[in-house]
Amino acid sequence: PPTMHQASSAAQQVDGTQRITGGWQFTGRNTVVETRAAWFDEGLQWFPFGTEAVRSRSRTAIAEAEVRHLVGDRHTVSTGMNLTHTSALSDGYPNKPQQDRTALFLAYRYRSRNDRVLATWAARQELMIGAWVPFTTSVGGAVRFTEYLHARANAAKVYRIPTFNDLYWVPGGDRDLLSEVGWAGEAGLAVEQRVGSVQFKGDGAV
């Protein structure tokens, strides 16, 4: 479609995507082992004037393994690793940039015997192109006060790594950009009530 400053537009865009994913799972008495793999090949051709195309293409390979272990009846510990390789080819990049990321993560979940309390904690450390990115962690929980009233809260340290355009696009890319770091949190109450065959739900969060 044309922009606000155009009466008409002959520009076109053609997208092409190939995605392959797979996984394997082993379930034991107290342990679950999962492995996952994915391959994404995404291409874009933009014809700004209906003739010669501006081309962009990215390829991503992902491999991940996770082990979840149940300790007793109420504690679950999870640990895992993620490996991600990304390469891109675009008319806006001076060469073919590549990015390798390795992440380790650990999580813990507690569920009370009567399911009135649920608590979680997680941590993640990632290495990107040989440099450590900010360490992140999160904590959260939910409490069921009555059959009808529930409360939840969570807080997390989060980050955002620069995109390929942020780092490599010409002009404007800056390879020295650092990851953005921030905090996020949420708290809320939920009310559920059934009257005959009608169920009422209310939810509020900040």
Side-chain angles (χ1 to χ4, degrees), residues 99-144:
Q99 187 181 86
D100 289 298
R101 299 167 60 181
T102 303
L104 299 173
F105 53 89
L106 176 67
Y108 166 76
R109 185 180 72 173
Y110 167 80
R111 183 183 295 274
S112 65
R113 191 179 300 276
N114 55 11
D115 287 339
R116 296 179 68 92
V117 177
L118 173 66
T120 60
W121 171 83
R124 181 184 179 96
Q125 180 64 72
E126 187 168 347
L127 183 71
M128 184 181 73
I129 319 180
W132 296 106
V133 302
F135 173 80
T136 59
T137 185
S138 65
V139 61
V143 180
R144 178 167 58 87

Side-chain angles (χ1 to χ4, degrees), residues 9-91:
S9 173
Q12 299 181 54
Q13 181 173 308
V14 179
D15 298 316
T17 301
Q18 300 177 61
R19 296 174 180 168
I20 302 174
T21 62
W24 173 84
Q25 182 182 82
F26 166 80
T27 302
R29 181 177 180 181
N30 296 314
T31 303
V32 176
V33 179
E34 281 190 84
T35 60
R36 295 175 286 270
W39 168 259
F40 303 144
D41 189 342
E42 300 175 299
L44 180 152
Q45 298 182 68
W46 180 49
F47 299 85
F49 306 108
T51 54
E52 186 176 353
V54 178
R55 305 176 187 274
S56 298
R57 188 174 186 179
S58 66
R59 293 174 175 173
T60 303
I62 303 173
E64 186 172 273
E66 181 180 2
V67 178
R68 296 192 300 274
H69 184 68
L70 179 64
V71 181
D73 297 329
R74 301 187 295 276
H75 308 273
T76 303
V77 178
S78 303
T79 185
M81 173 183 286
N82 176 285
L83 303 174
T84 301
H85 173 81
T86 303
S87 63
L89 180 64
S90 172
D91 293 343

Side-chain angles (χ1 to χ4, degrees), residues 183-194:
W183 291 90
E186 181 186 32
L189 285 173
V191 178
E192 298 183 12
Q193 176 68 54
R194 178 177 292 276

